[in-house]
Amino acid sequence: MTGDLKENLFNYANSLLSFYRNEPADSLGYISKIVSAPQPFQIDIYILKAKIFYVLGHYDSALSVTDSFRHFITSNSDFSDYHKQTIMNFLKHFNSMVRISKNKNVNKAQRLLEELELSTNTRERKWMIEMTNAMIANESA
């Protein structure tokens, strides 16, 4: 394993660990140290960055990351149709979740939750269901 790849894996692993320890600022710090990464690894980096920005409440940054991610996926022919579809479904639902969070619309959040629960091929589906449920609970309280 080359030094760059080893360092990138170290930073990604720490970013992921920090994210799930509910330390999104630390997570963002680690992920920002990743310089270049192999293509499959970039998918996970894009997704984690979007999630970090969402949790931090930086909704415009989250949308910017997902826009770059969409361009990366659509301009790349190396991914199977299935993987492209799971990622595009993630982007669609994630962008809806961000917009709903910005506008605080419980009815739209409920519809998004229903869509997510019916979805079978969406990356990060479980996490988005948790976030949407939390959004509904916070607005209903």
Side-chain angles (χ1 to χ4, degrees):
M1 190 178 300
T2 66
D4 285 346
L5 182 57
K6 192 182 279 189
E7 190 171 325
N8 286 341
L9 283 172
F10 173 82
N11 286 319
Y12 177 74
N14 279 307
S15 180
L16 197 60
L17 183 61
S18 295
F19 181 80
Y20 285 106
R21 285 183 172 166
N22 201 23
E23 300 166 349
D26 290 345
S27 181
L28 187 59
Y30 281 112
I31 208 164
S32 68
K33 294 177 184 177
I34 298 173
V35 180
S36 64
Q39 202 168 19
F41 193 37
Q42 287 178 336
I43 292 170
D44 293 327
I45 292 168
Y46 272 117
I47 290 172
L48 184 56
K49 272 186 192 177
K51 289 168 58 175
I52 292 167
F53 284 128
Y54 176 82
V55 169
L56 287 171
H58 301 316
Y59 300 132
D60 291 335
S61 295
L63 292 173
S64 178
V65 168
T66 58
D67 185 54
S68 296
F69 188 25
R70 184 178 52 79
H71 287 292
F72 172 74
I73 295 300
T74 57
S75 67
N76 196 314
S77 60
D78 293 339
F79 300 113
S80 70
D81 289 340
Y82 174 78
H83 282 93
K84 278 187 179 183
Q85 189 61 50
T86 62
I87 292 166
M88 295 308 279
N89 286 342
F90 163 76
L91 292 171
K92 178 181 94 171
H93 294 306
F94 182 84
N95 286 340
S96 293
M97 189 174 75
V98 171
R99 283 189 212 94
I100 292 166
S101 292
K102 284 175 73 170
N103 299 325
K104 311 267 189 251
N105 189 319
V106 177
N107 292 332
K108 286 184 180 181
Q110 190 62 47
R111 283 195 299 272
L112 174 61
L113 181 60
E114 291 167 7
E115 283 180 34
L116 284 166
E117 288 174 340
L118 294 173
S119 179
T120 57
N121 60 344
T122 302
R123 290 277 304 252
E124 299 297 322
R125 177 181 165 269
K126 182 180 175 189
W127 180 82
M128 286 190 288
I129 288 172
E130 289 172 9
M131 294 297 104
T132 306
N133 271 323
M135 185 186 336
I136 293 168
N138 287 340
E139 290 303 312
S140 300

